[in-house]
Amino acid sequence: MFTLENQELLVQINPIGAELTHVIEQKSGFDFIWNDERWPKHAPILFPAIGRSTKDQYLIDGKTYPMQQHGFATDYEFQVLNDEVDTLTLELKANDQTRQSYPFAFNFQVTYHLSGKNLSVVFKVTNQDQKELSFSLGFHPAFNLPGIFEDYSLAFSPENQVLKQFEIVKNPFPYRSGKQKVADKPVSNLQLTRPFFEKGLVILDNDINVVELTSNSSNYAVKVKMADFPYLCLWTKEDIALPYLCIEPFQGLPDVIDQEQELLQKEGNIKLAAGKSADYQVQLSFEN
């Protein structure tokens, strides 16, 4: 486990999956990140796929390749490129095993930087292949919600947006139906309720730059700046009332049910030319 630390926060990152595991406030000892075996993850990084692929596979020029839910980055130990008091850079390179499901030469780096009560996470994807590649990228942090779930609310920026929500087919696994549901009126603040998550995933197709999670009964606040990501996923378990909420910036989408996808044509995916790199940043800030 790697540690970043200052007077405000202690941050720990697991090299397996480059996963953010703890964000602990120094003065109170409160951990903003979920740590409970009832959902045994914390903040997985989704790469090079988001959600489920139809039949857990996809196509490249008509040839079938396997792809597990949310890709494979969470399975690998990332290598250290830079380890300082306030900055950590971890790296995953293509290998023989990744090429079996994702036949591209790539370099994937994740950099965490701690400053005061702020933590930035920068994802860098480099295409080291001779051909164009396509990928999805998602950040899946689960934030602890002490107290009553319904005491929390979300504020979006820009304000007063009519939320456009991808319709989710819950069973047998969460896929998109291919349709969207549009809210009746604009919202700037969304009170959390369990029924809102009856199908688990809520994926919004809005130009949301900032999401702020606050409590009506305390000073708790988590702010997520995500201007580099076009989609926002909100999730908590629908079958058991657990005290956390995932706020997930997405570059990419789950498949539409029963539609096998050609990777280079997949909706929401990023295309990256040979030899090119792309950076995507999420900035987190914490109050309690």
Side-chain angles (χ1 to χ4, degrees), residues 67 78 106 116 122 132 156 182 200:
M67 182 56 69
F78 283 56
F106 69 87
V122 178
E132 183 179 52
F156 303 112
V182 180

Side-chain angles (χ1 to χ4, degrees), residues 52-71:
R52 291 194 85 94
S53 301
T54 299
K55 300 178 184 177
D56 292 319
Q57 61 190 32
Y58 67 97
L59 304 171
I60 298 178
D61 296 328
K63 183 178 178 180
T64 300
Y65 291 86
M67 182 56 69
Q68 66 196 57
Q69 185 174 12
H70 293 328

Side-chain angles (χ1 to χ4, degrees), residues 82-154:
N82 181 38
D83 182 10
E84 301 176 9
V85 173
D86 60 359
T87 304
L88 174 71
T89 300
L90 300 172
E91 175 186 67
L92 174 65
K93 293 182 178 180
N95 56 56
D96 291 342
Q97 195 171 14
T98 65
R99 289 187 182 95
Q100 292 178 19
S101 60
Y102 190 65
F104 301 99
F106 69 87
N107 181 291
F108 181 40
Q109 295 179 10
V110 183
T111 297
Y112 293 93
H113 178 72
L114 179 63
S115 177
K117 295 183 179 180
N118 305 303
L119 179 68
S120 73
V121 190
V122 178
F123 307 94
K124 181 177 184 178
V125 181
T126 301
N127 183 355
Q128 297 180 320
D129 217 310
Q130 301 301 310
K131 58 184 180 291
E132 183 179 52
L133 62 75
S134 176
F135 67 92
S136 291
L137 171 65
F139 185 40
H140 195 322
F143 298 108
N144 269 328
L145 302 184
I148 300 170
F149 187 80
E150 289 77 9
D151 280 350
Y152 291 84
S153 61
L154 295 167

Side-chain angles (χ1 to χ4, degrees), residues 11-30:
V11 173
Q12 291 193 318
I13 297 109
N14 191 335
I16 305 298
E19 185 178 11
L20 177 64
T21 305
H22 298 282
V23 175
I24 298 171
E25 186 182 52
Q26 297 278 28
K27 67 179 181 181
S28 68
F30 175 73

Side-chain angles (χ1 to χ4, degrees), residues 40-267:
K41 298 183 180 181
H42 317 283
I45 294 170
L46 318 182
F47 176 86
I50 284 176
R52 291 194 85 94
S53 301
T54 299
K55 300 178 184 177
D56 292 319
Q57 61 190 32
Y58 67 97
L59 304 171
I60 298 178
D61 296 328
K63 183 178 178 180
T64 300
Y65 291 86
M67 182 56 69
Q68 66 196 57
Q69 185 174 12
H70 293 328
F72 50 68
T74 57
D75 295 339
Y76 288 91
E77 182 171 355
F78 283 56
Q79 301 305 304
V80 182
L81 288 185
N82 181 38
D83 182 10
E84 301 176 9
V85 173
D86 60 359
T87 304
L88 174 71
T89 300
L90 300 172
E91 175 186 67
L92 174 65
K93 293 182 178 180
N95 56 56
D96 291 342
Q97 195 171 14
T98 65
R99 289 187 182 95
Q100 292 178 19
S101 60
Y102 190 65
F104 301 99
F106 69 87
N107 181 291
F108 181 40
Q109 295 179 10
V110 183
T111 297
Y112 293 93
H113 178 72
L114 179 63
S115 177
K117 295 183 179 180
N118 305 303
L119 179 68
S120 73
V121 190
V122 178
F123 307 94
K124 181 177 184 178
V125 181
T126 301
N127 183 355
Q128 297 180 320
D129 217 310
Q130 301 301 310
K131 58 184 180 291
E132 183 179 52
L133 62 75
S134 176
F135 67 92
S136 291
L137 171 65
F139 185 40
H140 195 322
F143 298 108
N144 269 328
L145 302 184
I148 300 170
F149 187 80
E150 289 77 9
D151 280 350
Y152 291 84
S153 61
L154 295 167
F156 303 112
S157 179
E159 299 179 345
N160 296 316
Q161 296 198 58
V162 176
L163 298 182
K164 295 180 291 182
Q165 182 178 338
F166 289 101
E167 187 176 79
I168 299 297
V169 179
K170 182 177 177 180
N171 293 313
F173 301 106
Y175 291 98
R176 289 183 297 131
S177 73
K179 301 176 182 178
Q180 284 192 355
K181 299 186 292 183
V182 180
D184 296 331
K185 58 184 180 180
V187 298
S188 292
N189 290 276
L190 181 68
Q191 199 78 25
L192 297 191
T193 65
R194 294 292 180 185
F196 185 67
F197 297 97
E198 63 181 354
K199 291 192 175 180
L201 296 179
V202 174
I203 305 176
L204 301 177
D205 184 15
N206 290 82
D207 294 323
I208 294 172
N209 295 327
V210 182
V211 186
E212 187 166 13
L213 174 64
T214 57
S215 170
N216 301 328
S217 57
S218 73
N219 294 324
Y220 177 105
V222 172
K223 183 180 290 186
V224 180
K225 296 182 179 179
M226 50 166 285
D228 288 346
F229 292 78
Y231 308 112
L232 170 64
C233 179
L234 305 170
W235 178 76
T236 190
K237 271 192 174 291
E238 67 275 17
D239 53 353
I240 179 173
L242 297 179
Y244 72 82
L245 178 71
C246 293
I247 300 176
E248 309 172 43
F250 274 7
Q251 275 274 9
L253 295 165
D255 276 3
V256 173
I257 191 167
D258 296 330
Q259 290 187 11
E260 229 172 350
Q261 300 289 311
E262 274 282 349
L263 188 66
L264 288 172
Q265 280 74 53
K266 184 173 178 179
E267 181 183 1

